[in-house]
Amino acid sequence: MFVVVPSASAAFRFGISVEGKERTCRSGIRGEGADKVDGYESVNDRGIGMIRLTAFDAEVANKVCGVLEPFLLSLAKSSKPITLRQCSQIHAKLILSQCISQTHLTNTLLNLYSKFGHFRHAHILFDHMPHRNVVTWTTLISSHLRTGSLPKAFELFNHMRETNESPNEYTFSVLLRACATPSLWEVGLQIHGLLVRSGLERDKFAGSSIVHMYFNSGNNLGDACRAFHDLLMKDLVAWNVMISGFAHVGDFIMVHRLFSEMWEVPGLKPDDSTFVSLLKCCSYLEQVKQIHGLASKFGAEADIVVGSALVDLYAKCGDVSSCRKVFDSMEEKDNFVWSSIISGYNMNDRGEEAVHFFKDMCRQRNRPDQHVLSSTLKACVELEDFNAGIQVHGQMIKTGYQNDCFVASVLLTLYASLGELVDVDKLFRRIVDKDIVAWNSMIMAHAQPGRGSGPSTKLLQELRRTTSLQIQAATLVVVLKSCENKLDLPVGRQIHSLVVKSSISHHTLIGNALVHMYSECGQVGDAFKAFIDIVRKDDGSWSSIIGTYKQNGMESEALELCKEMLADGITFTIYSLPLCISACSQLSIIQVGKQLHVFSIKSGYSRDVYVGSSIIDMYAKCGTMEESEKVFGEQVEPNEVIYNAVICGYAHHGKAQEAIDVFNKLEKNGLTPNHVTFLAVLSACSHSGYVEDTLYFITLMLNKYKIKPESEHYACLVDAFGRAGRLEEAYQIVQKDGGESAWRTLLSACRNHNNTEIGEKSAMRMIELNPSDHASYILLSNIYTGEGKWEEALKCREKMAKIDLKKDPGSSWLI
DNA sequence: ATAGGGTTAG
């Protein structure tokens, strides 16, 4: 007969004879520790020893049970997984030694089976147990709840009640813990009823579980407090449940009061869990430091959960160095800590280091979880480090988290920024439980500039039709942003009505997006109405409405609104400032422009590239190119936008050589010119009649920078050829690539060089492209006049009058 | 022998 004992030496101690040392190894699952005399631990670490009993009698069997009991217990406590084979062997020994009828031993075996997930065998043992008690039932119910099998747990619980076995405080604790979620609120209430009937309501275990349940199943603060009040014994856990409950709802005053009360209880000291809840209530750095100090005093600093909460909070308060200090001081690091440090560095604009932490963590052979992966990937997306992003994607496939909702939401954003929309769709469709944020990411991925509101609206409809998810303000903001011109106005209005009907209409972000949408669709009046409707106008709201007026040629009104904004207590931001400066340049109000320039220096915003470039542009447009050059020279780290502004300035001033010089400087500084840069330098060259240079830059653009010239770029070339009288070449280009402006340029060149033939063709084409543009009719009529063809000229003017067109009056500024 | 409280991500 075989029996399992902690070690051969332990068996000797219990008077069980052992037959041959090599026999002790026959189970194949023990290591060399069996012949050591140092007790049970060594066996748990190395495996299970096995000995052969020479004889069987009741006395020996009793001794065997005596050995088995502590052994089984130590196995149950061990963190090392126990295989099914090992469990079965123990099971066999229990049967053979007749210990199976000793319920407390069998309960422990049952615990072993179920703790390590061998549920089928656990149930076989359960079914064959001669005697069951409340522990038997509780063990099985608890392990089903641990693995998330709620129906099985409740089925067992009902079965237990049918057999007249009364649940005890242990049974109630595990069941109530499982009910601490909003969806199981009703079940929890029923169990509370049973608990009251059983008379265990005031037990510290069952009772604190009740308190916890009321907090977690829908913020029933009153019921939670009553249950806490009724407790016979308020121990540390009970206090912690209360503190964490109020911390969770953000009632920091109550947390503070509870903590002080607890402080007064003799013999009660806060522990790790208390500090974690207290940390949750911190809203600024000084508080974090205080709790940190207190936690150190009570020795809770070394706890891994306190540590990761500190890492997280220091990062959120912007104190990266303290965050790093805590992180470095932690001996043990789990996924919580890693994900906290990665997201912490990323939120403090140190994404590169965040990605480094991820690499460190992988190098140390930690297996990243979905939290770590999504934080890292977000850093990659924000850094636009797509190579790193794709590497992280590799890790996701390896770890099997590719289809996790959080992970996939960022992943599809990554592929959207790479323009891989097919992959985006694939990733999205694979997510099993799509939540609203996943939908938002998906809609955002498809709301790309130039695609209009079509794709995002289609997704919004699918979302509303196929799910019951609550639409967020962010969802509609994304759809509104995809409305980019008049064609999208009907969609924009529909979303607006959706907003009015929903509960999110008071959101400032939604209001701002509505203003922006009406602005993009050219509806200044509606934009203003939407602006008025915003309950709490922020700097974004003001920027949007000021931008609307400026965009639609109402610069004076835009500047008036600026004054109102300042009167409303909102100061300029890097968004509103360039708008106002640009309005000044449009209006040529250099005095106001100068004031804004001074403000931008004082506020430190002048370092922003958009502010800087708007100032450069403003001085250039107001005719003081020297000021413009000065501001350009003051730029600490000029980028393409800054260079573009100054090149544009030179172009406006007809200074082609200066424009070319700046362009060369840009290249020398390692920057890449974009299509705006080329437009600026090309227009400078063509305006000065530099035909060869114009051709050179068009070629450079195409060959070196692989930028496809748009019709505006070709218009410059047409202009250059036109000024030089090379009308045939100009005509060739316009025929191939010309848009409206190229035709217009060609037409006026024809007029200057008295070319009726090409001029007439150009004018016809222009009228075709835009029949409501008065300029084409006038240019054509002027050509006829120059040629002395009075009748044709008159016909042309009549045609214009017929479709009710008048020449816009000219305007000029005088200040 | 069976039990109650805490931290991270898009």
Side-chain angles (χ1 to χ4, degrees):
Chain A
M1 157 183 188
F2 292 97
V3 77
V4 178
V5 293
S7 69
S9 49
F12 277 119
R13 250 191 278 153
F14 281 98
I16 301 169
S17 54
V18 179
E19 197 190 75
K21 216 167 153 193
E22 62 287 344
R23 295 272 186 162
T24 64
C25 299
R26 58 171 295 163
S27 73
I29 47 173
R30 67 166 279 281
E32 64 222 41
D35 47 6
K36 287 192 180 164
V37 197
D38 50 2
Y40 310 120
E41 281 79 7
S42 74
V43 172
N44 285 333
D45 291 338
R46 311 237 176 138
I48 299 168
M50 187 176 283
I51 54 164
R52 176 180 276 256
L53 287 185
T54 47
F56 172 78
D57 59 54
E59 196 193 336
V60 172
N62 267 336
K63 282 180 181 164
V64 170
C65 290
V67 176
L68 274 172
E69 189 174 350
F71 175 57
L72 273 171
L73 276 180
S74 60
L75 276 184
K77 276 183 197 144
S78 154
S79 58
K80 237 178 149 178
I82 295 174
T83 62
L84 181 57
R85 189 182 144 84
Q86 290 166 325
C87 287
S88 300
Q89 282 177 340
I90 299 166
H91 193 167
K93 308 316 167 234
L94 278 180
I95 295 170
L96 285 172
S97 63
Q98 294 184 339
C99 294
I100 198 82
S101 55
Q102 302 210 13
T103 312
H104 66 285
L105 274 185
T106 318
N107 281 342
T108 311
L109 175 62
L110 185 71
N111 187 28
L112 276 185
Y113 267 131
S114 47
K115 187 177 162 192
F116 295 105
H118 313 305
F119 280 111
R120 203 170 63 85
H121 291 78
H123 276 275
I124 294 172
L125 173 61
F126 180 83
D127 291 342
H128 288 94
M129 277 174 74
H131 312 290
R132 294 173 199 144
N133 59 17
V134 58
V135 180
T136 320
W137 288 99
T138 308
T139 303
L140 208 53
I141 290 174
S142 147
S143 51
H144 276 304
L145 289 174
R146 255 202 308 271
T147 55
S149 179
L150 243 71
K152 280 196 187 122
F154 283 116
E155 192 187 314
L156 274 166
F157 180 60
N158 286 333
H159 194 180
M160 173 186 182
R161 293 176 56 218
E162 280 161 18
T163 57
N164 283 328
E165 186 71 69
S166 302
N168 63 10
E169 63 273 33
Y170 290 74
T171 327
F172 280 116
S173 313
V174 289
L175 285 169
L176 288 165
R177 167 150 177 44
C179 294
T181 168
S183 58
L184 288 177
W185 163 237
E186 305 261 321
V187 186
L189 266 187
Q190 289 180 36
I191 302 208
H192 191 181
L194 293 174
L195 178 65
V196 173
R197 269 217 318 239
S198 74
L200 292 165
E201 198 191 6
R202 303 176 68 190
D203 170 77
K204 66 175 175 182
F205 282 109
S208 59
S209 302
I210 285 285
V211 179
H212 179 241
M213 186 194 81
Y214 278 116
F215 273 122
N216 279 267
S217 62
N219 296 335
N220 264 295
L221 308 185
D223 290 327
C225 289
R226 260 188 293 282
F228 177 72
H229 185 77
D230 287 346
L231 283 177
L232 286 174
M233 255 265 292
K234 296 179 180 64
D235 67 357
L236 181 59
V237 175
W239 283 99
N240 282 344
V241 171
M242 283 296 278
I243 292 176
S244 90
F246 280 103
H248 189 74
V249 295
D251 188 342
F252 304 153
I253 297 168
M254 195 61 190
V255 169
H256 191 253
R257 189 190 296 170
L258 282 164
F259 184 66
S260 313
E261 274 180 47
M262 177 184 147
W263 195 260
E264 300 296 318
V265 180
L268 219 52
K269 273 193 287 186
D271 72 348
D272 321 331
S273 184
T274 325
F275 288 116
V276 172
S277 297
L278 290 180
L279 282 170
K280 232 182 175 168
C281 304
C282 296
S283 46
Y284 52 91
L285 188 58
E286 279 314 304
Q287 286 179 328
V288 181
K289 285 189 169 160
Q290 269 182 23
I291 307 291
H292 186 178
L294 207 58
S296 321
K297 210 172 133 190
F298 281 90
E301 199 193 11
D303 179 76
I304 193 164
V305 182
V306 174
S308 33
L310 281 170
V311 168
D312 177 53
L313 277 166
Y314 274 127
K316 282 183 178 149
C317 295
D319 186 347
V320 182
S321 75
S322 298
C323 163
R324 182 64 192 262
K325 253 184 230 154
V326 176
F327 178 79
D328 287 339
S329 75
M330 292 173 73
E331 282 182 20
E332 192 194 345
K333 291 184 177 79
D334 63 0
N335 272 317
F336 274 102
V337 189
W338 284 111
S339 92
S340 301
I341 193 95
I342 291 170
S343 68
Y345 266 67
N346 189 43
M347 75 177 78
N348 284 287
D349 297 319
R350 295 170 68 166
E352 275 180 46
E353 289 155 274
V355 177
H356 267 294
F357 279 117
F358 176 76
K359 288 180 183 160
D360 281 346
M361 141 175 216
C362 293
R363 229 175 277 134
Q364 292 168 31
R365 300 191 177 278
N366 293 293
R367 190 175 174 276
D369 69 355
Q370 63 271 50
H371 297 266
V372 173
L373 288 168
S374 52
S375 316
T376 312
L377 202 55
K378 192 187 177 206
C380 296
V381 172
E382 285 174 6
L383 288 170
E384 298 187 357
D385 185 347
F386 300 125
N387 281 330
I390 288 166
Q391 280 177 32
V392 179
H393 185 186
Q395 284 286 330
M396 288 170 182
I397 297 172
K398 238 165 82 186
T399 46
Y401 285 120
Q402 193 190 203
N403 300 338
D404 173 86
C405 185
F406 273 65
V407 169
S409 305
V410 219
L411 196 54
L412 65 86
T413 309
L414 173 82
Y415 283 93
S417 28
L418 287 169
E420 306 285 351
L421 290 184
V422 178
D423 292 334
V424 167
D425 291 348
K426 262 192 220 155
L427 285 166
F428 182 69
R429 299 297 161 195
R430 277 200 216 127
I431 306 173
V432 189
D433 283 316
K434 301 181 189 75
D435 66 4
I436 189 67
V437 183
W439 279 95
N440 293 350
S441 309
M442 180 65 177
I443 295 175
M444 182 112 73
H446 283 275
Q448 286 179 347
R451 291 185 69 202
S453 60
S456 53
T457 319
K458 229 176 123 194
L459 283 162
L460 178 68
Q461 280 168 344
E462 187 187 336
L463 162 63
R464 280 163 49 85
R465 207 179 46 239
T466 62
T467 76
S468 55
L469 293 170
Q470 182 74 46
I471 287 176
Q472 292 178 336
T475 321
L476 296 184
V477 167
V478 174
V479 181
L480 284 169
K481 276 193 184 146
S482 71
C483 298
E484 36 191 19
N485 60 46
K486 231 175 188 149
L487 291 175
D488 299 313
L489 186 59
V491 168
R493 288 201 194 282
Q494 276 183 34
I495 306 288
H496 192 171
S497 66
L498 213 59
V499 168
V500 174
K501 279 187 278 183
S502 73
S503 58
I504 53 176
S505 54
H506 61 279
H507 278 65
T508 303
L509 278 179
I510 275 281
N512 296 354
L514 283 168
V515 174
H516 183 256
M517 179 273 292
Y518 282 120
S519 170
E520 292 293 295
C521 299
Q523 308 298 306
V524 182
D526 287 324
F528 190 68
K529 272 188 216 153
F531 171 74
I532 293 297
D533 284 343
I534 301 173
V535 187
R536 275 182 296 273
K537 300 177 180 59
D538 64 1
D539 54 298
S541 324
W542 285 98
S543 304
S544 289
I545 193 67
I546 293 169
T548 304
Y549 280 104
K550 199 200 88 70
Q551 216 69 48
N552 287 280
M554 300 160 81
E555 287 88 4
S556 322
E557 288 83 351
L559 284 183
E560 276 307 310
L561 277 165
C562 277
K563 281 188 210 157
E564 283 181 38
M565 175 181 87
L566 295 174
D568 206 41
I570 307 262
T571 50
F572 286 112
T573 62
I574 49 164
Y575 301 104
S576 50
L577 202 50
L579 290 171
C580 297
I581 296 173
S582 159
C584 292
S585 41
Q586 234 95 48
L587 295 169
S588 281
I589 326 179
I590 193 165
Q591 291 90 333
V592 181
K594 267 186 183 164
Q595 285 178 26
L596 294 174
H597 182 191
V598 171
F599 172 81
S600 76
I601 294 169
K602 280 191 189 160
S603 60
Y605 288 153
S606 58
R607 305 170 76 111
D608 179 78
V609 287
Y610 291 97
V611 175
S613 56
S614 67
I615 295 169
I616 293 171
D617 177 71
M618 186 264 298
Y619 282 124
K621 288 228 173 79
C622 292
T624 49
M625 199 57 211
E626 303 73 33
E627 285 297 318
S628 191
E629 284 166 348
K630 215 171 121 197
V631 178
F632 175 66
E634 285 163 1
Q635 296 297 314
V636 196
E637 244 182 290
N639 70 349
E640 296 87 349
V641 183
I642 295 281
Y643 275 96
N644 291 352
V646 76
I647 297 174
C648 266
Y650 283 128
H652 273 290
H653 285 250
K655 296 185 167 178
Q657 195 49 53
E658 284 85 345
I660 296 172
D661 291 344
V662 177
F663 184 94
N664 291 335
K665 202 168 157 197
L666 174 149
E667 278 192 311
K668 218 178 83 196
N669 286 343
L671 295 169
T672 312
N674 57 27
H675 68 278
V676 181
T677 326
F678 277 108
L679 190 59
V681 76
L682 284 168
S683 85
C685 293
S686 62
H687 273 60
S688 305
Y690 287 24
V691 185
E692 294 313 314
D693 292 288
T694 313
L695 270 170
Y696 163 76
F697 281 113
I698 284 273
T699 322
L700 188 73
M701 179 176 180
L702 254 168
N703 293 348
K704 185 170 174 194
Y705 292 104
K706 312 286 176 214
I707 304 173
K708 197 175 164 279
E710 286 157 35
S711 67
E712 294 150 306
H713 301 96
Y714 283 116
C716 292
L717 191 54
V718 172
D719 183 39
F721 280 134
R723 280 171 202 266
R726 292 158 72 170
L727 294 175
E728 197 50 49
E729 284 159 284
Y731 184 55
Q732 296 291 323
I733 296 161
V734 183
Q735 269 188 315
K736 238 174 58 201
D737 296 284
E740 205 184 313
S741 69
W743 283 105
R744 192 198 314 268
T745 310
L746 180 60
L747 183 56
S748 74
C750 289
R751 201 183 62 112
N752 292 341
H753 289 94
N754 296 319
N755 187 323
T756 334
E757 194 197 333
I758 300 179
E760 211 178 324
K761 283 185 198 156
S762 318
M764 297 300 191
R765 180 76 186 123
M766 275 220 43
I767 292 170
E768 222 176 277
L769 283 171
N770 186 357
S772 58
D773 182 18
H774 63 266
S776 14
Y777 296 92
I778 291 164
L779 281 168
L780 185 60
S781 134
N782 287 350
I783 287 172
Y784 288 138
T785 317
E787 290 269 304
K789 297 181 178 170
W790 303 105
E791 265 180 43
E792 267 97 344
L794 194 65
K795 260 190 216 159
C796 191
R797 296 262 171 183
E798 275 170 359
K799 213 167 163 189
M800 189 172 111
K802 225 185 232 167
I803 46 175
D804 203 23
L805 287 177
K806 262 183 266 154
K807 190 179 186 295
D808 277 345
S811 65
S812 59
W813 290 100
L814 186 69
I815 296 182

